[in-house]
mmCIF file of all heavy atoms in Angstrom:
data_model
loop_
_atom_site.group_PDB
_atom_site.id
_atom_site.type_symbol
_atom_site.label_atom_id
_atom_site.label_comp_id
_atom_site.label_asym_id
_atom_site.label_seq_id
_atom_site.Cartn_x
_atom_site.Cartn_y
_atom_site.Cartn_z
ATOM 1 N N THR I 538 15.462 -2.173 10.884
ATOM 2 C CA THR I 538 16.602 -2.505 10.031
ATOM 3 C C THR I 538 17.806 -1.705 10.491
ATOM 4 O O THR I 538 17.666 -0.603 11.025
ATOM 5 C CB THR I 538 16.331 -2.190 8.545
ATOM 6 O OG1 THR I 538 16.253 -0.766 8.361
ATOM 7 C CG2 THR I 538 15.054 -2.843 8.072
ATOM 8 N N LEU I 539 18.978 -2.270 10.283
ATOM 9 C CA LEU I 539 20.213 -1.577 10.649
ATOM 10 C C LEU I 539 21.254 -1.816 9.578
ATOM 11 O O LEU I 539 21.456 -2.944 9.128
ATOM 12 C CB LEU I 539 20.726 -2.054 12.010
ATOM 13 C CG LEU I 539 21.912 -1.278 12.588
ATOM 14 C CD1 LEU I 539 21.847 -1.240 14.125
ATOM 15 C CD2 LEU I 539 23.261 -1.860 12.157
ATOM 16 N N THR I 540 21.906 -0.727 9.182
ATOM 17 C CA THR I 540 22.993 -0.822 8.217
ATOM 18 C C THR I 540 23.937 0.350 8.448
ATOM 19 O O THR I 540 23.812 1.092 9.426
ATOM 20 C CB THR I 540 22.452 -0.834 6.772
ATOM 21 O OG1 THR I 540 23.525 -1.150 5.863
ATOM 22 C CG2 THR I 540 21.856 0.508 6.380
ATOM 23 N N ALA I 541 24.910 0.496 7.561
ATOM 24 C CA ALA I 541 25.816 1.642 7.571
ATOM 25 C C ALA I 541 25.835 2.236 6.173
ATOM 26 O O ALA I 541 25.523 1.560 5.186
ATOM 27 C CB ALA I 541 27.223 1.223 7.986
ATOM 28 N N ASP I 542 26.213 3.492 6.080
ATOM 29 C CA ASP I 542 26.276 4.154 4.775
ATOM 30 C C ASP I 542 27.560 3.838 4.024
ATOM 31 O O ASP I 542 27.647 4.025 2.816
ATOM 32 C CB ASP I 542 26.119 5.666 4.928
ATOM 33 C CG ASP I 542 27.062 6.253 5.970
ATOM 34 O OD1 ASP I 542 27.683 5.494 6.737
ATOM 35 O OD2 ASP I 542 27.178 7.492 6.033
ATOM 36 N N HIS I 543 28.558 3.330 4.739
ATOM 37 C CA HIS I 543 29.851 2.959 4.154
ATOM 38 C C HIS I 543 30.718 2.408 5.270
ATOM 39 O O HIS I 543 30.359 2.468 6.454
ATOM 40 C CB HIS I 543 30.546 4.174 3.521
ATOM 41 C CG HIS I 543 30.645 5.361 4.436
ATOM 42 N ND1 HIS I 543 31.484 5.396 5.530
ATOM 43 C CD2 HIS I 543 29.971 6.537 4.457
ATOM 44 C CE1 HIS I 543 31.345 6.548 6.162
ATOM 45 N NE2 HIS I 543 30.411 7.264 5.543
ATOM 46 N N GLY I 544 31.866 1.856 4.928
ATOM 47 C CA GLY I 544 32.854 1.446 5.918
ATOM 48 C C GLY I 544 33.920 2.513 6.057
ATOM 49 O O GLY I 544 33.630 3.709 5.981
ATOM 50 N N VAL I 545 35.172 2.062 6.214
ATOM 51 C CA VAL I 545 36.279 3.017 6.333
ATOM 52 C C VAL I 545 37.592 2.276 6.098
ATOM 53 O O VAL I 545 37.723 1.092 6.416
ATOM 54 C CB VAL I 545 36.280 3.718 7.711
ATOM 55 C CG1 VAL I 545 36.603 2.736 8.833
ATOM 56 C CG2 VAL I 545 37.222 4.918 7.727
ATOM 57 N N ALA I 546 38.559 2.998 5.535
ATOM 58 C CA ALA I 546 39.877 2.419 5.284
ATOM 59 C C ALA I 546 40.741 2.497 6.534
ATOM 60 O O ALA I 546 40.553 3.386 7.373
ATOM 61 C CB ALA I 546 40.568 3.168 4.145
ATOM 62 N N PRO I 547 41.697 1.584 6.686
ATOM 63 C CA PRO I 547 42.677 1.754 7.756
ATOM 64 C C PRO I 547 43.468 3.041 7.539
ATOM 65 O O PRO I 547 43.590 3.532 6.418
ATOM 66 C CB PRO I 547 43.586 0.526 7.604
ATOM 67 C CG PRO I 547 42.833 -0.432 6.760
ATOM 68 C CD PRO I 547 41.957 0.395 5.875
ATOM 69 N N VAL I 548 43.997 3.593 8.600
ATOM 70 C CA VAL I 548 44.858 4.772 8.482
ATOM 71 C C VAL I 548 46.075 4.399 7.625
ATOM 72 O O VAL I 548 46.711 3.372 7.875
ATOM 73 C CB VAL I 548 45.315 5.248 9.874
ATOM 74 C CG1 VAL I 548 46.269 6.431 9.752
ATOM 75 C CG2 VAL I 548 44.106 5.614 10.729
ATOM 76 N N PRO I 549 46.387 5.183 6.572
ATOM 77 C CA PRO I 549 47.512 4.821 5.698
ATOM 78 C C PRO I 549 48.817 4.553 6.448
ATOM 79 O O PRO I 549 49.529 3.586 6.144
ATOM 80 C CB PRO I 549 47.633 6.030 4.778
ATOM 81 C CG PRO I 549 46.244 6.568 4.695
ATOM 82 C CD PRO I 549 45.668 6.364 6.065
ATOM 83 N N GLU I 550 49.135 5.394 7.429
ATOM 84 C CA GLU I 550 50.385 5.196 8.168
ATOM 85 C C GLU I 550 50.383 3.883 8.942
ATOM 86 O O GLU I 550 51.457 3.304 9.203
ATOM 87 C CB GLU I 550 50.613 6.369 9.125
ATOM 88 C CG GLU I 550 51.026 7.665 8.440
ATOM 89 C CD GLU I 550 49.871 8.371 7.743
ATOM 90 O OE1 GLU I 550 48.689 8.007 8.004
ATOM 91 O OE2 GLU I 550 50.125 9.294 6.939
ATOM 92 N N HIS I 551 49.194 3.398 9.305
ATOM 93 C CA HIS I 551 49.086 2.119 10.006
ATOM 94 C C HIS I 551 49.427 0.966 9.065
ATOM 95 O O HIS I 551 50.272 0.115 9.373
ATOM 96 C CB HIS I 551 47.673 1.970 10.574
ATOM 97 C CG HIS I 551 47.483 0.760 11.419
ATOM 98 N ND1 HIS I 551 46.238 0.317 11.829
ATOM 99 C CD2 HIS I 551 48.365 -0.149 11.928
ATOM 100 C CE1 HIS I 551 46.372 -0.762 12.557
ATOM 101 N NE2 HIS I 551 47.648 -1.073 12.632
ATOM 102 N N VAL I 552 48.779 0.930 7.894
ATOM 103 C CA VAL I 552 49.022 -0.191 6.982
ATOM 104 C C VAL I 552 50.362 -0.069 6.265
ATOM 105 O O VAL I 552 50.908 -1.077 5.781
ATOM 106 C CB VAL I 552 47.872 -0.349 5.962
ATOM 107 C CG1 VAL I 552 46.595 -0.766 6.655
ATOM 108 C CG2 VAL I 552 47.664 0.924 5.154
ATOM 109 N N MET I 553 50.920 1.139 6.207
ATOM 110 C CA MET I 553 52.249 1.282 5.604
ATOM 111 C C MET I 553 53.295 0.538 6.426
ATOM 112 O O MET I 553 54.338 0.137 5.902
ATOM 113 C CB MET I 553 52.609 2.773 5.468
ATOM 114 C CG MET I 553 51.852 3.463 4.326
ATOM 115 S SD MET I 553 51.933 5.281 4.362
ATOM 116 C CE MET I 553 53.674 5.539 3.981
ATOM 117 N N GLU I 554 53.003 0.330 7.709
ATOM 118 C CA GLU I 554 53.904 -0.476 8.536
ATOM 119 C C GLU I 554 53.947 -1.926 8.051
ATOM 120 O O GLU I 554 54.912 -2.645 8.311
ATOM 121 C CB GLU I 554 53.439 -0.437 9.994
ATOM 122 C CG GLU I 554 53.504 0.946 10.636
ATOM 123 C CD GLU I 554 52.909 0.955 12.035
ATOM 124 O OE1 GLU I 554 52.496 -0.131 12.505
ATOM 125 O OE2 GLU I 554 52.860 2.033 12.650
ATOM 126 N N PHE I 555 52.889 -2.349 7.339
ATOM 127 C CA PHE I 555 52.829 -3.700 6.789
ATOM 128 C C PHE I 555 53.330 -3.756 5.344
ATOM 129 O O PHE I 555 53.319 -4.811 4.723
ATOM 130 C CB PHE I 555 51.391 -4.224 6.855
ATOM 131 C CG PHE I 555 50.867 -4.405 8.249
ATOM 132 C CD1 PHE I 555 50.341 -3.338 8.951
ATOM 133 C CD2 PHE I 555 50.916 -5.640 8.871
ATOM 134 C CE1 PHE I 555 49.858 -3.493 10.246
ATOM 135 C CE2 PHE I 555 50.439 -5.807 10.166
ATOM 136 C CZ PHE I 555 49.920 -4.732 10.857
ATOM 137 N N GLY I 556 53.697 -2.606 4.806
ATOM 138 C CA GLY I 556 54.300 -2.573 3.479
ATOM 139 C C GLY I 556 53.368 -2.244 2.336
ATOM 140 O O GLY I 556 53.702 -2.501 1.179
ATOM 141 N N TYR I 557 52.174 -1.687 2.618
ATOM 142 C CA TYR I 557 51.285 -1.320 1.523
ATOM 143 C C TYR I 557 50.507 -0.057 1.877
ATOM 144 O O TYR I 557 50.454 0.359 3.032
ATOM 145 C CB TYR I 557 50.322 -2.454 1.161
ATOM 146 C CG TYR I 557 49.553 -3.056 2.316
ATOM 147 C CD1 TYR I 557 48.340 -2.504 2.739
ATOM 148 C CD2 TYR I 557 50.029 -4.182 2.981
ATOM 149 C CE1 TYR I 557 47.626 -3.065 3.789
ATOM 150 C CE2 TYR I 557 49.322 -4.750 4.030
ATOM 151 C CZ TYR I 557 48.123 -4.187 4.436
ATOM 152 O OH TYR I 557 47.420 -4.728 5.474
ATOM 153 N N GLY I 558 49.893 0.545 0.834
ATOM 154 C CA GLY I 558 49.077 1.734 1.037
ATOM 155 C C GLY I 558 49.885 3.015 1.031
ATOM 156 O O GLY I 558 51.123 3.017 0.932
ATOM 157 N N GLY I 559 49.176 4.138 1.115
ATOM 158 C CA GLY I 559 49.840 5.435 1.133
ATOM 159 C C GLY I 559 48.835 6.555 0.928
ATOM 160 O O GLY I 559 47.632 6.326 0.787
ATOM 161 N N ARG I 560 49.345 7.771 0.914
ATOM 162 C CA ARG I 560 48.495 8.948 0.733
ATOM 163 C C ARG I 560 48.719 9.563 -0.645
ATOM 164 O O ARG I 560 49.828 9.537 -1.179
ATOM 165 C CB ARG I 560 48.790 9.996 1.808
ATOM 166 C CG ARG I 560 48.323 9.582 3.197
ATOM 167 C CD ARG I 560 48.374 10.732 4.186
ATOM 168 N NE ARG I 560 47.976 10.293 5.515
ATOM 169 C CZ ARG I 560 46.726 10.296 5.958
ATOM 170 N NH1 ARG I 560 45.750 10.749 5.173
ATOM 171 N NH2 ARG I 560 46.452 9.886 7.182
ATOM 172 N N LEU I 561 47.662 10.112 -1.196
ATOM 173 C CA LEU I 561 47.701 10.787 -2.489
ATOM 174 C C LEU I 561 47.379 12.258 -2.289
ATOM 175 O O LEU I 561 46.606 12.626 -1.412
ATOM 176 C CB LEU I 561 46.687 10.160 -3.449
ATOM 177 C CG LEU I 561 46.843 8.655 -3.706
ATOM 178 C CD1 LEU I 561 45.665 8.133 -4.521
ATOM 179 C CD2 LEU I 561 48.150 8.367 -4.411
ATOM 180 N N VAL I 562 47.965 13.091 -3.125
ATOM 181 C CA VAL I 562 47.772 14.536 -3.019
ATOM 182 C C VAL I 562 46.955 15.010 -4.212
ATOM 183 O O VAL I 562 47.360 14.827 -5.370
ATOM 184 C CB VAL I 562 49.123 15.281 -2.966
ATOM 185 C CG1 VAL I 562 48.910 16.788 -2.836
ATOM 186 C CG2 VAL I 562 49.966 14.759 -1.798
ATOM 187 N N ALA I 563 45.812 15.627 -3.943
ATOM 188 C CA ALA I 563 44.901 16.033 -5.014
ATOM 189 C C ALA I 563 45.558 17.003 -5.987
ATOM 190 O O ALA I 563 45.362 16.909 -7.204
ATOM 191 C CB ALA I 563 43.644 16.663 -4.395
ATOM 192 N N LYS I 564 46.347 17.919 -5.468
ATOM 193 C CA LYS I 564 46.989 18.909 -6.343
ATOM 194 C C LYS I 564 47.908 18.249 -7.363
ATOM 195 O O LYS I 564 48.042 18.729 -8.499
ATOM 196 C CB LYS I 564 47.773 19.916 -5.503
ATOM 197 C CG LYS I 564 46.902 20.872 -4.699
ATOM 198 C CD LYS I 564 47.760 21.861 -3.918
ATOM 199 C CE LYS I 564 46.884 22.826 -3.117
ATOM 200 N NZ LYS I 564 47.697 23.779 -2.318
ATOM 201 N N GLU I 565 48.525 17.152 -6.970
ATOM 202 C CA GLU I 565 49.428 16.458 -7.899
ATOM 203 C C GLU I 565 48.643 15.788 -9.029
ATOM 204 O O GLU I 565 49.141 15.686 -10.161
ATOM 205 C CB GLU I 565 50.247 15.420 -7.133
ATOM 206 C CG GLU I 565 51.217 16.044 -6.140
ATOM 207 C CD GLU I 565 51.984 15.011 -5.338
ATOM 208 O OE1 GLU I 565 51.747 13.785 -5.542
ATOM 209 O OE2 GLU I 565 52.811 15.409 -4.496
ATOM 210 N N VAL I 566 47.435 15.344 -8.733
ATOM 211 C CA VAL I 566 46.587 14.755 -9.768
ATOM 212 C C VAL I 566 46.179 15.815 -10.780
ATOM 213 O O VAL I 566 46.253 15.601 -11.998
ATOM 214 C CB VAL I 566 45.343 14.100 -9.128
ATOM 215 C CG1 VAL I 566 44.361 13.647 -10.205
ATOM 216 C CG2 VAL I 566 45.748 12.926 -8.257
ATOM 217 N N SER I 567 45.738 16.966 -10.301
ATOM 218 C CA SER I 567 45.374 18.064 -11.196
ATOM 219 C C SER I 567 46.569 18.488 -12.032
ATOM 220 O O SER I 567 46.437 18.761 -13.238
ATOM 221 C CB SER I 567 44.858 19.262 -10.385
ATOM 222 O OG SER I 567 43.644 18.962 -9.756
ATOM 223 N N ALA I 568 47.742 18.526 -11.392
ATOM 224 C CA ALA I 568 48.950 18.939 -12.105
ATOM 225 C C ALA I 568 49.314 17.945 -13.207
ATOM 226 O O ALA I 568 49.715 18.342 -14.317
ATOM 227 C CB ALA I 568 50.104 19.092 -11.126
ATOM 228 N N ALA I 569 49.173 16.645 -12.932
ATOM 229 C CA ALA I 569 49.487 15.624 -13.935
ATOM 230 C C ALA I 569 48.589 15.768 -15.154
ATOM 231 O O ALA I 569 49.047 15.678 -16.307
ATOM 232 C CB ALA I 569 49.349 14.234 -13.322
ATOM 233 N N ALA I 570 47.293 15.988 -14.918
ATOM 234 C CA ALA I 570 46.357 16.170 -16.031
ATOM 235 C C ALA I 570 46.675 17.443 -16.807
ATOM 236 O O ALA I 570 46.700 17.442 -18.052
ATOM 237 C CB ALA I 570 44.929 16.221 -15.508
ATOM 238 N N THR I 571 46.932 18.518 -16.088
ATOM 239 C CA THR I 571 47.227 19.794 -16.738
ATOM 240 C C THR I 571 48.493 19.705 -17.572
ATOM 241 O O THR I 571 48.541 20.189 -18.721
ATOM 242 C CB THR I 571 47.372 20.907 -15.674
ATOM 243 O OG1 THR I 571 46.129 21.045 -14.975
ATOM 244 C CG2 THR I 571 47.730 22.234 -16.319
ATOM 245 N N ASN I 572 49.543 19.089 -17.035
ATOM 246 C CA ASN I 572 50.805 18.970 -17.776
ATOM 247 C C ASN I 572 50.629 18.161 -19.057
ATOM 248 O O ASN I 572 51.184 18.508 -20.113
ATOM 249 C CB ASN I 572 51.866 18.316 -16.891
ATOM 250 C CG ASN I 572 52.291 19.211 -15.743
ATOM 251 O OD1 ASN I 572 52.106 20.438 -15.798
ATOM 252 N ND2 ASN I 572 52.854 18.626 -14.689
ATOM 253 N N ALA I 573 49.859 17.101 -18.999
ATOM 254 C CA ALA I 573 49.632 16.273 -20.189
ATOM 255 C C ALA I 573 48.848 17.048 -21.243
ATOM 256 O O ALA I 573 49.154 16.956 -22.448
ATOM 257 C CB ALA I 573 48.886 14.998 -19.805
ATOM 258 N N LEU I 574 47.855 17.813 -20.826
ATOM 259 C CA LEU I 574 47.051 18.590 -21.767
ATOM 260 C C LEU I 574 47.848 19.771 -22.325
ATOM 261 O O LEU I 574 47.711 20.108 -23.516
ATOM 262 C CB LEU I 574 45.771 19.078 -21.086
ATOM 263 C CG LEU I 574 44.802 17.956 -20.659
ATOM 264 C CD1 LEU I 574 43.644 18.522 -19.848
ATOM 265 C CD2 LEU I 574 44.277 17.204 -21.875
ATOM 266 N N ASN I 575 48.680 20.380 -21.497
ATOM 267 C CA ASN I 575 49.548 21.466 -21.988
ATOM 268 C C ASN I 575 50.490 20.961 -23.068
ATOM 269 O O ASN I 575 50.704 21.619 -24.095
ATOM 270 C CB ASN I 575 50.367 22.049 -20.834
ATOM 271 C CG ASN I 575 49.561 22.963 -19.936
ATOM 272 O OD1 ASN I 575 48.476 23.422 -20.321
ATOM 273 N ND2 ASN I 575 50.072 23.245 -18.747
ATOM 274 N N ALA I 576 51.056 19.783 -22.815
ATOM 275 C CA ALA I 576 52.025 19.217 -23.761
ATOM 276 C C ALA I 576 51.375 18.900 -25.106
ATOM 277 O O ALA I 576 52.002 19.028 -26.162
ATOM 278 C CB ALA I 576 52.659 17.967 -23.169
ATOM 279 N N LYS I 577 50.119 18.505 -25.111
ATOM 280 C CA LYS I 577 49.465 18.087 -26.355
ATOM 281 C C LYS I 577 48.723 19.216 -27.052
ATOM 282 O O LYS I 577 48.698 19.283 -28.292
ATOM 283 C CB LYS I 577 48.495 16.945 -26.052
ATOM 284 C CG LYS I 577 47.902 16.292 -27.297
ATOM 285 C CD LYS I 577 47.183 14.995 -26.957
ATOM 286 C CE LYS I 577 46.679 14.301 -28.208
ATOM 287 N NZ LYS I 577 46.041 13.003 -27.907
ATOM 288 N N TYR I 578 48.123 20.123 -26.251
ATOM 289 C CA TYR I 578 47.238 21.133 -26.850
ATOM 290 C C TYR I 578 47.674 22.576 -26.605
ATOM 291 O O TYR I 578 47.012 23.503 -27.078
ATOM 292 C CB TYR I 578 45.815 20.960 -26.313
ATOM 293 C CG TYR I 578 45.232 19.593 -26.558
ATOM 294 C CD1 TYR I 578 44.998 18.717 -25.498
ATOM 295 C CD2 TYR I 578 44.905 19.158 -27.853
ATOM 296 C CE1 TYR I 578 44.450 17.451 -25.715
ATOM 297 C CE2 TYR I 578 44.362 17.900 -28.074
ATOM 298 C CZ TYR I 578 44.144 17.052 -27.002
ATOM 299 O OH TYR I 578 43.597 15.803 -27.215
ATOM 300 N N GLY I 579 48.747 22.759 -25.846
ATOM 301 C CA GLY I 579 49.178 24.113 -25.521
ATOM 302 C C GLY I 579 48.733 24.508 -24.122
ATOM 303 O O GLY I 579 47.751 23.991 -23.586
ATOM 304 N N GLU I 580 49.450 25.446 -23.540
ATOM 305 C CA GLU I 580 49.190 25.807 -22.147
ATOM 306 C C GLU I 580 47.852 26.514 -21.971
ATOM 307 O O GLU I 580 47.476 27.375 -22.769
ATOM 308 C CB GLU I 580 50.323 26.680 -21.611
ATOM 309 C CG GLU I 580 51.639 25.930 -21.465
ATOM 310 C CD GLU I 580 52.617 26.661 -20.549
ATOM 311 O OE1 GLU I 580 52.193 27.650 -19.905
ATOM 312 O OE2 GLU I 580 53.777 26.238 -20.473
ATOM 313 N N ALA I 581 47.162 26.127 -20.902
ATOM 314 C CA ALA I 581 45.878 26.741 -20.561
ATOM 315 C C ALA I 581 45.457 26.240 -19.181
ATOM 316 O O ALA I 581 46.042 25.292 -18.641
ATOM 317 C CB ALA I 581 44.806 26.401 -21.592
ATOM 318 N N ALA I 582 44.446 26.868 -18.614
ATOM 319 C CA ALA I 582 43.881 26.421 -17.341
ATOM 320 C C ALA I 582 42.804 25.384 -17.647
ATOM 321 O O ALA I 582 41.613 25.689 -17.732
ATOM 322 C CB ALA I 582 43.313 27.606 -16.571
ATOM 323 N N TRP I 583 43.230 24.148 -17.839
ATOM 324 C CA TRP I 583 42.333 23.095 -18.310
ATOM 325 C C TRP I 583 41.382 22.577 -17.240
ATOM 326 O O TRP I 583 40.281 22.124 -17.544
ATOM 327 C CB TRP I 583 43.169 21.914 -18.849
ATOM 328 C CG TRP I 583 44.001 22.251 -20.039
ATOM 329 C CD1 TRP I 583 45.325 22.553 -20.057
ATOM 330 C CD2 TRP I 583 43.555 22.339 -21.393
ATOM 331 N NE1 TRP I 583 45.751 22.826 -21.333
ATOM 332 C CE2 TRP I 583 44.672 22.697 -22.178
ATOM 333 C CE3 TRP I 583 42.329 22.150 -22.030
ATOM 334 C CZ2 TRP I 583 44.594 22.868 -23.560
ATOM 335 C CZ3 TRP I 583 42.258 22.319 -23.405
ATOM 336 C CH2 TRP I 583 43.379 22.672 -24.154
ATOM 337 N N VAL I 584 41.815 22.624 -15.997
ATOM 338 C CA VAL I 584 41.043 21.995 -14.916
ATOM 339 C C VAL I 584 40.189 23.031 -14.189
ATOM 340 O O VAL I 584 40.690 24.048 -13.711
ATOM 341 C CB VAL I 584 41.980 21.293 -13.918
ATOM 342 C CG1 VAL I 584 41.187 20.723 -12.749
ATOM 343 C CG2 VAL I 584 42.777 20.191 -14.617
ATOM 344 N N LYS I 585 38.903 22.766 -14.110
ATOM 345 C CA LYS I 585 37.980 23.633 -13.381
ATOM 346 C C LYS I 585 37.913 23.241 -11.894
ATOM 347 O O LYS I 585 37.851 24.110 -11.027
ATOM 348 C CB LYS I 585 36.574 23.536 -13.982
ATOM 349 C CG LYS I 585 36.337 24.427 -15.181
ATOM 350 C CD LYS I 585 36.226 25.880 -14.745
ATOM 351 C CE LYS I 585 35.798 26.762 -15.884
ATOM 352 N NZ LYS I 585 35.713 28.199 -15.458
ATOM 353 N N ALA I 586 37.883 21.949 -11.624
ATOM 354 C CA ALA I 586 37.760 21.492 -10.243
ATOM 355 C C ALA I 586 38.151 20.034 -10.135
ATOM 356 O O ALA I 586 38.081 19.276 -11.115
ATOM 357 C CB ALA I 586 36.328 21.681 -9.742
ATOM 358 N N LEU I 587 38.596 19.640 -8.934
ATOM 359 C CA LEU I 587 38.803 18.238 -8.593
ATOM 360 C C LEU I 587 38.056 18.004 -7.288
ATOM 361 O O LEU I 587 38.461 18.473 -6.220
ATOM 362 C CB LEU I 587 40.281 17.913 -8.426
ATOM 363 C CG LEU I 587 40.619 16.477 -7.997
ATOM 364 C CD1 LEU I 587 40.064 15.452 -8.982
ATOM 365 C CD2 LEU I 587 42.125 16.284 -7.831
ATOM 366 N N THR I 588 36.912 17.324 -7.370
ATOM 367 C CA THR I 588 36.027 17.141 -6.221
ATOM 368 C C THR I 588 35.603 15.681 -6.114
ATOM 369 O O THR I 588 35.114 15.110 -7.099
ATOM 370 C CB THR I 588 34.768 18.017 -6.361
ATOM 371 O OG1 THR I 588 35.151 19.382 -6.495
ATOM 372 C CG2 THR I 588 33.868 17.871 -5.149
#
Side-chain angles (χ1 to χ4, degrees):
T538 68
L539 188 148
T540 189
D542 51 348
H543 51 71
V545 67
V548 177
E550 287 76 14
H551 185 192
V552 293
M553 285 166 68
E554 296 175 2
F555 295 83
Y557 51 87
R560 290 191 182 271
L561 303 172
V562 181
K564 289 181 180 179
E565 293 177 359
V566 172
S567 293
T571 298
N572 291 339
L574 295 173
N575 283 343
K577 188 168 184 177
Y578 302 111
E580 292 198 9
W583 296 99
V584 176
K585 276 287 188 181
L587 177 58
T588 303

